[in-house]
Amino acid sequence: MKHSLKENFFSRSTRAQFISSITCIFALLYHIAFLFVFHHLNIEPMFYYNFLSIIIFSTSFATIIKSKSAIIPYTICAIEVFIHQISAEYYLGSDSSFKFFILLMGIIPLFVFNNKYFFSIPFAILSAILFSVLAIFSNQLPGTYAINPQTLKTIKIANIVLSTGLMFVIMIIFTFLMNLFENQLEEKVSIQTKDLLYQSEKIINMQNNTIISLSNLVESRDSDTGDHVLRTSAYVKMLAEQVRKNGYYLDTLSDSYIELLTKAAPMHDIGKIIVPDSILKKPGKLTPEEFEIIKKHTSEGRRIVIDVLGNNENNEYIQMAGDVAEFHHEKWDGSGYPKHLREEQIPLSARLMAVADVFDALVSPRCYKKPIPIDQALLIMQKSSGEHFDPILIKCFLEIKDSVTELLAIYNQ
């Protein structure tokens, strides 16, 4: 499989190959320049040594490009630099400042071959030792060839310029590589994040479809249609958006909250799966004992939600689904069940669900009753505002009467 330059560029082997190539090119140009300097100074040993160095660096560069191997060619080049600079100190004296190249050639591997510590660390230590020895003892080397001060000054300036230039080039290259690496890393993280979100969304959708199917199955035991869970989800969403539009509960009703609530709503009666048909489908009035069994569907609903969604990483979603299942029969005045919560002790999600659930129960046929007209259902709910329901939610629900009526008509077709 072929990889793009961007995918490969910051790999360790490619980085070493690239930086070593740049080092070889720079060293090649450096030795060509000083080939003429030593020819002009008539220093034959250094002239021929520079000529040999040009061959070495040319061969090393070709090897790096052809074989994509960097360590051996770089080692040869570094050894050449060590010998060359020590020779320069011997022939020209300590004032030539050539010894800094020894330190530089030892430092570069720490960045270039940082995955090859058995190579780069000994190189750095060796170059530091050689540099220190030359720094201490080269003052005793007056230089085999006598060079006039002006020529020596020119050599020192050339060394400083070339050293600075090399460091500058290396800094630019590493800055470029780091930026490239960061962009590549960000791109990979972005792709992985999108993939994780996609996979998470798939899992959530699978769970939702399973839960909706299970909820429909549960509802089909209790009513004439399985559309109750779909209608109540739609009512909850419409009501939550209207409440936010009117400026209420803005700290809670974010887009993500409403989206999660819409997905969690179908689970509100999932706990009814534990209720026997003899009670759930009883056409007459329930006995106190039977009603106590019915009430257990709320707490059981939360338990089932946790069991089904326990591997979902969205804790807010699990919490909301559990709240909707357990608390949608709580009442504003505290007379509901299972925990007799009151007013804002009841989670907003459950208060919204209570409005949608009761409305749909009133206007839909059940085994124990016939549906009642929408206006009559809304009037009953309005009278229960402040007792059964959050007054704000009832006020907002009445405002979306037309939308609710239209939606109900679509489901009744």
Side-chain angles (χ1 to χ4, degrees), residues 202-220 226 228-230 232-233 260-273 301-312 317-318 320-322 324-325:
K202 282 181 63 177
I203 293 172
I204 290 175
N205 288 336
M206 290 174 60
Q207 290 174 329
N208 284 339
N209 291 335
T210 302
I211 288 166
I212 289 175
S213 299
L214 181 59
S215 299
N216 278 330
L217 180 63
V218 172
E219 288 297 328
S220 68
H228 172 70
V229 294
L230 300 178
T232 51
S233 292
L260 291 178
L261 176 58
T262 305
K263 292 179 178 179
M267 289 176 272
H268 69 281
D269 270 340
I270 199 169
K272 283 184 178 179
I273 197 169
R302 178 181 286 276
R303 181 187 65 78
I304 293 171
V305 163
I306 293 174
D307 287 345
V308 173
L309 299 179
N311 63 341
N312 193 304
Y317 180 47
I318 298 174
M320 187 180 297
V324 165

Side-chain angles (χ1 to χ4, degrees), residues 142-159:
T144 304
Y145 288 82
I147 303 175
N148 64 68
Q150 185 60 39
T151 302
L152 186 59
K153 183 178 180 181
T154 302
I155 292 175
K156 292 180 67 174
I157 292 174
N159 274 323

